[in-house]
Amino acid sequence: MYKKILLATDGSEHSKRAGEHAISMALCTKGSKIEMVYVVDSDKSKTDVLNNWNSADIGDKRKDRIRHVEQRMKESAVQFETKILHGEPGPTIVDYSNKNGVDVVIIGSRGLNALQELVLGSVSHKVAKRAECPVLIVK
Amino acid sequence: MEQMSYKDSWFSNIKGDLLSGIVVALALIPEAIAFSIIAGVDPMVGLYASFTIAVVIAFVGGRPGMISGATGAMALLFINLVAEHGLQYLLAATILTGIFEILFGVFKLSRYMKFIPRSVMVGFVNALAIMIFTSQLQHFVGETWIIYVLVALTLAIIYLLPYVFKAIPSTLVAIVVVTAITIFMNIGVRTVGDMGTISRTLPVFLLPDIPLNLDTLMIILPYSLALALVGLLESLLTAAIVDDMTDTGSNKDTESRGQGIANIVTGFFGGMAGCAMIGQSVINVSSGGRGRLSSLFSGVFLMLLIVVLGDIVVRIPMAALAGVMIMVSISTFDWNSIKTLYLLPRTDAFVMIVTVLTVVLTHNLAIGVFTGILLSAIFFVSKISKVEVNSTLERKTRIYKIRGQLFFASVTELLEKFDYKEEIQFVELNLRRAHLWDDSAVAAVDKIINKFEENGKQVEVTGLNEDSSELVEKLANKLGSH
């Protein structure tokens, strides 16, 4: 029943586990596809550009972060696609899932530490609240 | 990354650009005033600069969606010029800065930005943040405890308001609230009006009132060079950040030229030299701005506000502006660099810290950047100049295998690594894993051979790679005959 699975990832341990759940969900339904979304936080652009000042491509570093999950999806022979979006993570994921008629969103519960979560609010909660489809938060 | 066409860069995002333009204009005002005060000129000089730069760069810039105006990095550079020679010399220096920036763009020098090491860039950004912060401390001198309360209130509003309400920039709300409090409660603190006058007029075209001679040029030249360097550095860094945020490309040489044109126009219209602003550009993109219209509109709206609200602007307490500047300094600082400092190679961390310290001591970002580049170059040379020599004995031949880069910095050490007096007839110098880079290297190998021959040994050079042999041939050296 879940044909279009959106996997929101940031390369953290939680999002790797979320990847496993996405894969097993995709394997349940024939013809389903995982859309893995990695959101580049605008606030991090400055840090990322500075940190990659002399390296050829800033995009490579980001792809490195999601390589693990990508690898797992390849091994499991599920159909998938990787998208890199730009913006504030919560709203960007919500916006993307609502506009693209996603059947389910899978997201790791936290990439932030307790203090950051207190200040910034949890991305997964924001997504769960505002997405128009079922949301699976992986702990 | 793909670039937008010129037409698209104007009209593909009209609504988003207009809205973000307003937000940016509101956020530009406090910074333009505060940076003027840092530089010791009337607030109008910074406001005119932000107006003309934003408008001109909208047309000639290379990075749509980026915001330029009067900046702290630039203001910090000409404090002495203004103090010693006055505003007119600053305007002339601004025009000369523009000329340098145009030349930089015309000769397509932006590709050499890669020669500035990462650790120097990080040091630059951190030093800038520290300088902006320390420049605010003067506002606390000679004030009562109330200024701490007002600054704290400003910061509290700036940081906490966005959790509840995001439509208006929180810096603007903070300034309005704090200004209202000081006016209605009649708190006697210094205001913008005490630092200079705000005239509610549009800028006019004027030639800087300076003698056009060599003395003038010698006064402004060092300032203009430093301004051009720092301005381009911050502009191209900001352009890279906007590229990344919007996932589109930009032409850095067009941008450099655009910055130059904008500064020339600004100098003639009584504004101070400026460049791209990291903070404002991030605000612009986050608020939905993508195109040239956002920059144009922010400039026009800024001027409109000053003409209409000039009388209120002079009543803004310095405490509120100091609060805004402290926020700018906190967000400019690359906090990540502190967290990762212990992970970096020692030399990188050292370069970063020296860059920051140089700026803090000299109050000059350009000197800091040069020191950082020089230091990195020295570290690089010393790292790469390590040459390894392994020797083996094969029957009657002593084989020396040389491994590494042979150039001016590495050859002195090399000469001492051979035993010229050994009782042996044949010596082989195996250069298969070495590279000869310059005439010092060729001369050194030559000298080694000579020394062996003086001691009555036959020397054979083997394994010279193609580049190196070419160099040797070019220098028409004796090596070829062996």
Side-chain angles (χ1 to χ4, degrees):
Chain A
M1 93 184 259
Y2 300 121
K3 291 233 157 181
K4 211 170 183 182
I5 301 163
L6 189 152
L7 169 63
T9 183
D10 61 356
S12 67
E13 278 306 314
H14 284 79
S15 76
K16 280 180 194 167
R17 279 204 289 285
E20 297 298 324
H21 285 262
I23 290 167
S24 52
M25 194 180 273
L27 291 173
C28 290
T29 313
K30 224 178 161 198
S32 63
K33 185 179 175 190
I34 299 175
E35 286 185 26
M36 179 160 73
V37 170
Y38 176 79
V39 182
V40 177
D41 193 339
S42 324
D43 290 343
K44 289 210 183 100
S45 272
K46 190 188 98 194
T47 309
D48 284 356
V49 167
L50 269 179
N51 280 335
N52 294 287
W53 183 250
N54 300 112
S55 47
D57 192 5
I58 188 170
D60 290 349
K61 269 266 169 59
R62 291 178 178 145
K63 279 179 198 134
D64 274 352
R65 282 185 210 148
I66 52 178
R67 186 148 295 148
H68 176 85
V69 182
E70 249 178 5
Q71 194 59 40
R72 285 286 301 125
M73 290 195 288
K74 261 182 212 155
E75 283 164 16
S76 322
V78 292
Q79 242 197 89
F80 74 95
E81 193 183 342
T82 309
K83 285 236 165 71
I84 293 187
L85 304 176
H86 293 255
E88 218 182 311
T92 308
I93 294 167
V94 172
D95 194 54
Y96 183 86
S97 69
N98 290 350
K99 273 190 185 146
N100 291 280
V102 168
D103 296 319
V104 60
V105 174
I106 303 181
I107 187 169
S109 71
R110 67 165 72 168
L112 306 170
N113 64 35
L115 180 70
Q116 286 168 321
E117 196 164 294
L118 183 74
V119 180
L120 303 170
S122 148
V123 173
S124 53
H125 285 178
K126 278 182 203 163
V127 174
K129 223 159 57 180
R130 305 209 188 104
E132 289 160 5
C133 63
V135 174
L136 174 62
I137 299 179
V138 178
K139 284 195 164 183
Chain B
M1 286 188 277
E2 256 177 73
Q3 278 183 44
M4 283 184 261
S5 71
Y6 191 74
K7 193 179 153 211
D8 278 351
S9 68
W10 274 107
F11 303 116
S12 62
N13 184 35
I14 296 176
K15 195 178 140 218
D17 285 351
L18 291 183
L19 286 175
S20 70
I22 295 177
V23 176
V24 169
L26 297 176
L28 272 173
I29 294 175
E31 288 191 27
I33 295 172
F35 291 139
S36 311
I37 290 165
I38 289 179
V41 293
D42 266 357
M44 287 320 287
V45 179
L47 290 166
Y48 283 158
S50 288
F51 165 66
T52 50
I53 293 173
V55 168
V56 174
I57 212 82
F59 291 92
V60 296
R63 175 61 261 182
M66 183 162 86
I67 301 297
S68 302
T71 59
M74 302 293 258
L76 290 165
L77 286 174
F78 47 68
I79 298 173
N80 289 341
L81 177 65
V82 174
E84 285 164 23
H85 301 280
L87 174 65
Q88 295 304 320
Y89 280 82
L90 167 59
L91 301 184
T94 300
I95 294 163
L96 188 59
T97 303
I99 295 171
F100 285 136
E101 289 177 333
I102 289 178
L103 290 176
F104 185 94
V106 167
F107 289 110
K108 301 192 189 306
L109 299 182
S110 71
R111 59 179 183 270
Y112 294 112
M113 288 310 251
K114 65 166 186 261
F115 285 114
I116 299 175
R118 197 195 69 92
S119 40
V120 176
M121 284 308 278
V122 175
F124 170 81
V125 167
N126 289 350
L128 174 60
I130 293 171
M131 294 296 288
I132 293 176
F133 181 80
T134 52
S135 68
Q136 296 311 307
L137 299 178
Q138 52 172 311
H139 299 307
F140 292 87
V141 178
E143 293 276 8
T144 53
W145 57 272
I146 195 86
I147 190 161
Y148 294 97
V149 178
L150 292 175
V151 170
L153 177 66
T154 309
L155 284 168
I157 295 174
I158 289 172
Y159 282 111
L160 299 178
L161 189 71
Y163 295 116
V164 214
F165 180 70
K166 271 188 184 166
I168 304 177
S170 60
T171 46
L172 186 76
V173 177
I175 286 174
V176 170
V177 170
V178 175
T179 306
I181 290 175
T182 52
I183 292 175
F184 291 121
M185 293 177 64
N186 220 353
I187 298 171
V189 285
R190 276 196 296 253
T191 62
V192 170
D194 297 329
M195 314 304 286
T197 46
I198 296 257
S199 54
R200 292 164 60 184
T201 48
L202 292 171
V204 287
F205 183 89
L206 278 173
L207 291 173
D209 183 17
I210 46 156
L212 284 176
N213 57 31
L214 201 64
D215 288 346
T216 308
L217 182 67
M218 291 322 286
I219 292 169
I220 62 174
L221 186 70
Y223 288 100
S224 296
L225 280 172
L227 285 167
L229 173 78
V230 169
L232 289 171
L233 200 62
E234 190 172 359
S235 298
L236 298 185
L237 173 64
T238 311
I241 293 170
V242 175
D243 286 355
D244 185 57
M245 285 181 79
T246 59
D247 209 15
T248 52
S250 63
N251 186 328
K252 307 290 185 292
D253 293 311
T254 311
E255 182 57 45
S256 311
R257 210 185 56 206
Q259 290 287 337
I261 297 170
N263 273 329
I264 290 176
V265 173
T266 300
F268 282 119
F269 279 93
M272 62 196 213
C275 62
M277 317 171 83
I278 300 177
Q280 300 290 352
S281 301
V282 171
I283 292 175
N284 187 43
V285 176
S286 314
S287 316
R290 290 289 181 277
R292 295 173 183 275
L293 217 48
S294 59
S295 177
L296 176 70
F297 201 64
S298 69
V300 171
F301 195 65
L302 162 81
M303 212 55 237
L304 212 66
L305 279 172
I306 294 305
V307 171
V308 177
L309 299 173
D311 289 347
I312 298 172
V313 169
V314 291
R315 303 186 71 175
I316 297 173
M318 288 315 299
L321 288 186
V324 172
M325 285 297 105
I326 290 171
M327 180 278 290
V328 169
S329 137
I330 291 172
S331 64
T332 302
F333 200 90
D334 182 34
W335 297 97
N336 190 52
S337 66
I338 302 287
K339 275 191 280 179
T340 55
L341 195 61
Y342 71 99
L343 294 172
L344 292 177
R346 287 275 169 77
T347 49
D348 282 17
F350 188 69
V351 167
M352 197 275 272
I353 291 167
V354 168
T355 306
V356 172
L357 287 180
T358 311
V359 175
V360 171
L361 292 177
T362 61
H363 291 218
N364 189 320
L365 286 158
I367 295 176
V369 169
F370 269 123
T371 310
I373 293 174
L374 206 64
L375 197 59
S376 311
I378 292 171
F379 279 138
F380 176 73
V381 167
S382 79
K383 267 183 216 166
I384 204 171
S385 66
K386 302 245 178 332
V387 179
E388 237 181 274
V389 178
N390 292 318
S391 75
T392 48
L393 193 62
E394 249 173 58
R395 272 173 297 179
K396 286 179 183 169
T397 310
R398 169 65 71 184
I399 302 173
Y400 288 103
K401 282 190 177 160
I402 301 161
R403 182 180 187 173
Q405 312 298 325
L406 304 188
F407 63 114
F408 64 90
S410 61
V411 291
T412 31
E413 232 181 293
L414 181 71
L415 289 173
E416 296 155 10
K417 290 190 171 167
F418 301 95
D419 180 5
Y420 303 103
K421 299 229 153 65
E422 195 183 2
E423 290 295 325
I424 201 144
Q425 202 185 348
F426 300 104
V427 173
E428 182 187 334
L429 291 181
N430 187 326
L431 294 169
R432 204 163 56 82
R433 309 189 78 169
H435 196 133
L436 276 65
W437 287 105
D438 58 7
D439 60 344
S440 316
V442 178
V445 175
D446 206 30
K447 198 166 171 188
I448 293 165
I449 295 168
N450 280 340
K451 263 185 152 179
F452 275 120
E453 287 179 344
E454 273 166 27
N455 286 294
K457 294 164 183 41
Q458 277 190 34
V459 186
E460 193 190 0
V461 177
T462 57
L464 201 59
N465 71 20
E466 209 173 306
D467 287 348
S468 304
S469 356
E470 243 172 60
L471 179 74
V472 171
E473 263 167 46
K474 226 187 266 172
L475 293 171
N477 202 285
K478 288 186 216 155
L479 255 180
S481 62
H482 286 282

